[in-house]
Amino acid sequence: MIPLNNNEMLLLRGREGTLGIVKAGENGHFFLETENEEILLALEPDDLLVASGFGTDKKVINGLKCVLYMIREVGSPFIVLPKKHPASKRLKIVVSAGDRTRISCSIIPGTHPEQDILCGSDEFDGVEISGVKGGVEFKNLKGGKLETVPFEI
Amino acid sequence: MCSVGGEIYDFDIKELDADAKYYKCGDCSNEFKGFGTKLRCPSCHSANVSKCRE
């Protein structure tokens, strides 16, 4: 288990991609806004928000932190686009929320067939990330470098 | 659970939509659709909520 508290972001740095992971936190309420309705997603504090970025440079890491910060700290809702919306191909960072996330390289970013799958670079294909009390657990992790950084802007 | 995109978010909502249920707040009567644990009313933040329909 990798320890992670609410003031930290866990980075998994790879050769081609980077994952940013934070706890869902005490508030735990997130809004999903579709064309027709609003869905309230209520998570446990130890669940996770996982952001996947295609790149490894500082811009990507700052982007991961900003996206997660917007969601968890600012309370920015998830705006759900219709399938095949032209914006899908513009996405540079994608986010998963829940108790478990599986990384797959075989799906198109932003068009995920299953709810707990998050697209990522090849090197993270098959990795499972679970939120556990006080930290994060990984399965099938074969590469990449883990680093904990402050979750502040 | 759900996967979405960056500055503009995008994900397949079908499974989540099937799991989400309608709730009614016992304090302010607000109805909302929700999913997960420890749901609170998004209007008055009361925890006094219960399922009202599928």
Side-chain angles (χ1 to χ4, degrees):
Chain A
M1 190 268 281
I2 310 295
L4 184 68
N5 67 41
N6 285 342
N7 302 317
E8 296 171 328
M9 177 172 76
L10 183 62
L11 289 172
L12 176 56
R13 296 171 179 263
R15 295 183 309 276
E16 299 172 350
T18 310
L19 301 180
I21 303 163
V22 296
K23 288 288 184 183
E26 292 300 324
N27 177 34
H29 278 54
F30 305 91
F31 290 100
L32 311 174
E33 315 288 351
T34 74
E35 273 185 303
N36 307 313
E37 63 183 355
E38 178 177 82
I39 299 175
L40 176 61
L41 174 64
L43 299 181
E44 295 285 348
D46 274 306
D47 289 343
L48 301 176
L49 302 176
V50 181
S52 174
F54 293 86
T56 59
D57 61 11
K58 191 174 181 182
K59 278 185 184 176
V60 170
I61 292 174
N62 285 342
L64 293 171
K65 188 183 285 186
C66 286
V67 166
L68 293 171
Y69 194 92
M70 284 292 291
I71 293 168
R72 197 185 80 176
E73 300 299 320
V74 180
S76 178
F78 297 120
I79 308 299
V80 182
L81 298 173
K83 278 283 191 185
K84 297 183 180 177
H85 192 285
S88 294
K89 61 179 178 291
R90 310 286 179 208
L91 300 175
K92 302 291 192 298
I93 291 173
V94 288
V95 179
S96 175
D99 56 353
R100 187 185 72 140
T101 293
R102 289 180 289 149
I103 305 297
S104 172
C105 66
S106 59
I107 56 175
I108 300 168
T111 60
H112 314 296
E114 295 178 49
Q115 299 297 332
D116 62 347
I117 293 184
L118 183 66
C119 56
S121 56
D122 290 0
E123 62 205 309
F124 299 140
D125 191 32
V127 171
E128 287 188 16
I129 307 165
S130 300
V132 296
K133 188 170 178 57
V136 180
E137 283 187 347
F138 290 91
K139 287 181 183 174
N140 308 320
L141 182 59
K142 294 165 187 163
K145 181 185 171 190
L146 287 166
E147 179 184 356
T148 302
V149 299
F151 186 53
E152 57 188 27
I153 301 295
Chain B
M1 183 176 289
C2 63
S3 300
V4 297
E7 295 172 3
I8 301 171
Y9 306 107
D10 176 27
F11 73 116
D12 189 325
I13 201 167
K14 284 180 185 171
E15 285 191 19
L16 181 62
D17 203 35
D19 290 334
K21 309 294 181 197
Y22 286 95
Y23 292 82
K24 185 170 185 176
C25 176
D27 291 340
C28 73
S29 299
N30 177 45
E31 282 192 25
F32 62 96
K33 195 169 187 180
F35 175 80
T37 57
K38 297 180 182 173
L39 281 162
R40 294 193 307 271
C41 172
S43 179
C44 72
H45 308 294
S46 168
N48 181 19
V49 299
S50 56
K51 284 181 189 173
C52 62
R53 56 190 167 103
E54 292 297 315

